[in-house]
Amino acid sequence: MPHSLLVSSVTECVFFRVEASLSLLPPSFPLSVSVASMAVLFKMPVVLGFFVGLMMLGLASSAEFHELFQPGWANDHFIYEGELLKLKLDNFSGAGFASKSRYLFGKVSMQIKLVEGDSAGTVTAYYMSSEGPYHNEFDFEFLGNTTGEPYLLQTNVYVNGVGNREQRMNLWFDPTKDFHSYSLLWNQRQVVFLVDETPIRVHTNMEHKGIPFPKDQAMGVYSSIWNADDWATRGGLVKTDWSHAPFVASYKGFEIDACECPVSVTADEIAKKCSSSAEKRFWWDEPTMSELSLHQSHQLVWVRANHLVYDYCTDTARFPIKPVECEHHRH
């Protein structure tokens, strides 16, 4: 279905809205989120809550792959089946794709079904990244495993070319049996990693503490499947079993609701034009988007308590001195 496109008359950047999805909560949170409960949560009248909800969620449908993305490498490892896109990895090559545009702030989502069966040694990556040695990057990396063992989801954040902010967790469902939504919400206050609209990680702007925050480099959106059996499964002890190839990851539900910026626009112009002003107001700059809601905060606590298996902030072997941002993060 075609996505909706709103062009601001005061900017070369484009406010790019392509759907947003409803919340799917983990088993520990069987809360039915109605318009009324949203209104209570945000302390607003029900009618106002209804219209704000419509504004925040959007009404457009998911986009087709070719509307937003293009193959990046190994075109012969792409399989198109109606609304589905499949990437395959064999002992000749993996495959990857990239967005046609770059974005600064907003939300990107896609639904992914990961490699079934023995996926040890494989990595399916989904991320946003800018370019250059001082790039910013937000990573989802799904680390394959042997049959019967859970996938590990590794997230990472790079700021000005510096990463080493890995967190790893297992999921509260089998990501190989069905499609699940994986999203990145990014504004000037926070970067939120979401799985089925449940927050699993928050990287907060702490510039007031002297800690850099990614806010001035437009990013592309990427995904790929590739062989990483030198590190992906049990630190590289378990290798890829090519007798199970091809390894296939499936995609659908491509959604981008963000500020699109031409390559020719400078970083300063991008930062200015993708920020709200008196002339224009982006939904991601609304006060309710500056931090998690109370319910989302509870979800994040639940995820970390029940599914987090590694956090760089607590790895004293790697970091005898705790990274500065770890001292100040609430989560």
Side-chain angles (χ1 to χ4, degrees):
M1 297 182 184
H3 53 262
S4 61
L5 192 64
L6 175 64
V7 182
S8 170
S9 61
V10 296
T11 177
E12 296 175 27
C13 297
V14 180
F15 182 50
F16 207 90
R17 175 175 291 278
V18 185
E19 230 264 63
S21 53
L22 297 176
S23 296
L24 296 174
L25 306 180
S28 180
F29 291 90
L31 178 65
S32 176
V33 181
S34 64
V35 169
S37 63
M38 286 176 63
V40 171
L41 189 62
F42 294 114
K43 299 180 180 179
M44 62 179 71
V46 171
V47 174
L48 177 59
F50 176 79
F51 286 108
V52 170
L54 287 180
M55 177 184 70
M56 293 300 181
L57 287 177
L59 298 175
S61 297
S62 302
E64 298 290 339
F65 171 77
H66 289 292
E67 293 182 77
L68 300 176
F69 297 94
Q70 58 193 1
W73 48 288
N75 290 18
D76 59 343
H77 283 54
F78 283 66
I79 304 169
Y80 302 97
E81 296 180 355
E83 68 171 353
L84 298 184
L85 167 69
K86 296 182 178 181
L87 298 186
K88 67 178 183 179
L89 164 68
D90 55 29
N91 55 351
F92 296 102
S93 178
F97 61 83
S99 60
K100 294 179 178 179
S101 299
R102 300 183 307 154
Y103 306 91
L104 185 73
F105 306 135
K107 185 179 181 182
V108 302
S109 302
M110 61 181 69
Q111 296 177 42
I112 306 173
K113 185 169 74 169
L114 298 174
V115 177
E116 293 189 67
D118 187 348
S119 57
T122 71
V123 171
T124 304
Y126 159 47
Y127 58 102
M128 295 185 71
S129 181
S130 58
E131 299 177 352
Y134 302 104
H135 75 291
N136 299 326
E137 185 174 330
F138 314 138
D139 294 340
F140 282 98
E141 290 181 311
F142 302 94
L143 313 183
N145 217 328
T146 53
T147 303
E149 295 295 322
Y151 253 90
L152 281 179
L153 168 56
Q154 175 171 286
T155 60
N156 201 355
V157 176
Y158 285 74
V159 183
N160 296 336
V162 179
N164 297 324
R165 298 181 176 91
E166 297 91 347
Q167 292 182 359
R168 288 187 178 185
M169 63 182 59
N170 52 50
L171 295 165
W172 52 93
F173 54 83
D174 184 344
T176 72
K177 298 302 182 184
D178 204 350
F179 286 90
H180 292 270
S181 175
Y182 303 94
S183 307
L184 289 162
L185 170 64
W186 175 31
N187 58 34
Q188 297 195 57
R189 298 293 297 276
Q190 60 181 355
V191 180
V192 185
F193 294 73
L194 302 114
V195 175
D196 289 338
E197 294 303 306
T198 296
I200 64 166
R201 179 174 185 170
V202 177
H203 186 80
T204 305
N205 186 334
M206 292 183 288
E207 289 180 300
H208 63 288
K209 299 286 187 180
I211 300 169
F213 183 79
K215 66 175 188 179
D216 58 0
Q217 298 182 43
M219 296 189 183
V221 185
Y222 305 87
S223 188
S224 59
I225 184 170
W226 45 289
N227 179 42
D229 65 4
D230 57 333
W231 66 272
T233 306
R234 296 182 59 197
L237 294 177
V238 182
K239 302 299 183 181
T240 303
D241 184 348
W242 294 108
S243 69
H244 295 294
F247 303 97
V248 177
S250 303
Y251 300 79
K252 67 177 183 177
F254 303 97
E255 303 167 6
I256 297 180
D257 185 352
C259 183
E260 182 189 19
C261 297
V263 175
S264 60
V265 177
T266 67
D268 288 343
E269 289 174 318
I270 288 173
K272 179 180 179 181
K273 293 173 181 177
C274 288
S275 300
S276 293
S277 66
E279 291 80 18
K280 62 185 186 298
R281 187 75 183 173
F282 295 118
W283 65 266
W284 53 81
D285 287 329
E286 294 299 321
T288 54
M289 307 305 294
S290 66
E291 60 183 2
L292 299 184
S293 69
L294 179 61
H295 177 60
Q296 289 175 320
S297 295
H298 289 165
Q299 288 180 307
L300 180 59
V301 169
W302 178 84
V303 169
R304 292 181 63 84
N306 292 278
H307 295 278
L308 188 68
V309 297
Y310 174 82
D311 185 355
Y312 77 105
C313 284
T314 60
D315 190 342
T316 55
R318 286 180 68 195
F319 304 102
I321 300 175
K322 183 176 287 190
V324 179
E325 68 266 21
C326 298
E327 298 283 356
H328 302 288
H329 266 303
R330 292 177 302 150
H331 305 296

